[in-house]
Amino acid sequence: MDVEVTAALSVRDGVEFAVRHLVVLMGFVLGLAVDESAVKRAMRLPAYTRGLPLILLGVPLLALLVVNLLPLPPIAAGILLLMAVSPGVPNVAVAAYRQRGDLSLTVALSLTLSLAAIVCLPLSLRLLSEFFPAVFKAPTTVQLLKRVMLPFLVPLAAGWALRAWRPMLARRLLHPMLWLFKAVFLVAILLLLFISGPRLRDVDGWMVLGMLVMTLGSALLGHVAGGPRPEDRTALALAAVFGNPSIALAVATASYQDLRLTPFLAVYLVLRTLALLPYLLWNKHHLRHGVPHPGRT
């Protein structure tokens, strides 16, 4: 039994290490790639104004609807709700870029939602306890700052500072840092597959249906809220789908459920990616036959 607990702790630590460093690398890469003034302009876009209430209120309400309508196991329903109330979307940037989304808008939403989590997350978890029996304890402000906010905000600020101080050096560093991010991302994917493999046998049809409805429903809400610009629709659709695994792990640890939740959280992340594929393929086809990538001819 001690060996099993030790192994579970080691795997959990490996996942947390990979996720945290993914956020660090993504913050620095975004700081190198996206100008600070562009992020400020994105905060004045109508899509930004519509996106914040959608992600903070619309997605959690959709999750509540899904878990109350479908006969999901308590652990699956709990993770759906937990990810729905875990705002902050730095890990959406690569998907947004590949799907021709507005990176400036993505960074603006990531910044605002990461800071909003300090206030909104304890309130969201308290409200969820009225509807759902599996109560998660909110992390302290210090825990959120240390494990979630600072690993993204500090590298982002460092990237912006380097871009302003040495723009040529920032451009030269961008591609190597992006390749490093991809390497860490691959390690994280392998760890998630390793953890989720034994638990995949516990996935039933209702869990798959709940994940599909939640993922595609969130993407549809974001796509519609994005407005007329295709790059805004893409950015909001992905931001609505991608909850922050760092926040979810922080909540699990604060609730003393990290060993129990980590394998199912890994299953969630794998299934969410598969459930999002129909939207990604449709959106890529639509953009290929529509407008060009913003900033490209």
Side-chain angles (χ1 to χ4, degrees):
M1 188 68 178
D2 291 339
V3 175
E4 291 180 2
V5 172
T6 303
L9 283 169
S10 300
V11 173
R12 184 210 65 183
D13 292 341
V15 171
E16 187 172 346
F17 179 85
V19 169
R20 186 179 300 180
H21 284 76
L22 271 177
V23 174
V24 170
L25 288 170
M26 180 49 60
F28 189 57
V29 167
L30 288 176
L32 296 176
V34 181
D35 191 77
E36 183 181 358
S37 60
V39 175
K40 292 179 180 178
R41 287 195 298 272
M43 289 181 174
R44 297 193 291 269
L45 292 173
Y48 172 83
T49 306
R50 291 190 296 265
L52 290 179
L54 169 71
I55 296 170
L56 292 173
L57 296 175
V59 173
L61 287 175
L62 176 62
L64 275 174
L65 185 64
V66 169
V67 301
N68 278 284
L69 291 179
L70 298 180
L72 298 174
I75 190 70
I79 288 178
L80 272 181
L81 290 169
L82 178 59
M83 290 298 290
V85 299
S86 298
V89 287
N91 54 331
V92 78
V94 170
Y97 177 77
R98 289 182 177 275
Q99 290 288 309
R100 303 185 179 186
D102 189 332
L103 272 182
S104 301
L105 177 60
T106 301
V107 176
L109 289 170
S110 297
L111 271 173
T112 310
L113 292 170
S114 295
L115 295 173
I118 296 175
V119 176
C120 295
L121 186 62
L123 178 62
S124 299
L125 293 174
R126 195 173 301 118
L127 290 174
L128 284 179
S129 67
E130 301 294 328
F131 297 94
F132 192 71
V135 180
F136 297 103
K137 181 180 176 182
T140 64
T141 301
V142 174
Q143 286 175 312
L144 283 174
L145 283 172
K146 180 180 177 182
R147 300 181 55 171
V148 181
M149 313 308 166
L150 294 181
F152 174 64
L153 299 178
V154 172
L156 180 68
W160 278 341
L162 183 61
R163 182 185 174 98
W165 180 50
R166 290 286 190 271
M168 291 295 295
L169 177 59
R171 280 195 290 270
R172 285 197 294 266
L173 276 177
L174 179 57
H175 287 290
M177 293 304 300
L178 190 55
W179 278 106
L180 180 60
F181 171 84
K182 290 177 180 179
V184 178
F185 181 77
L186 179 61
V187 171
I189 291 296
L190 293 175
L191 283 172
L192 287 175
L193 291 174
F194 175 76
I195 294 175
S196 62
R199 293 294 182 180
L200 287 177
R201 64 177 181 271
D202 299 326
V203 176
D204 60 13
W206 289 114
M207 291 174 66
V208 173
L209 179 61
M211 187 65 58
L212 189 65
V213 171
M214 188 64 205
T215 301
L216 294 181
S218 300
L220 178 61
L221 289 175
H223 191 88
V224 172
R229 296 205 317 157
E231 58 269 29
D232 291 347
R233 291 199 298 265
T234 301
L236 280 191
L238 294 174
V241 171
F242 281 79
N244 195 327
S246 299
I247 294 180
L249 286 172
V251 172
T253 302
S255 306
Y256 305 102
Q257 302 185 59
D258 47 340
L259 291 179
R260 181 164 162 257
L261 286 182
T262 299
F264 286 97
L265 183 59
V267 172
Y268 170 91
L269 295 174
V270 172
L271 291 180
R272 183 184 67 180
T273 302
L274 295 176
L276 190 59
L277 284 177
Y279 172 79
L280 295 178
L281 294 172
W282 172 84
N283 189 57
K284 199 168 186 178
H285 173 80
H286 177 72
L287 291 174
R288 187 180 294 124
H289 295 85
V291 297
H293 192 294
R296 293 183 184 175
T297 57

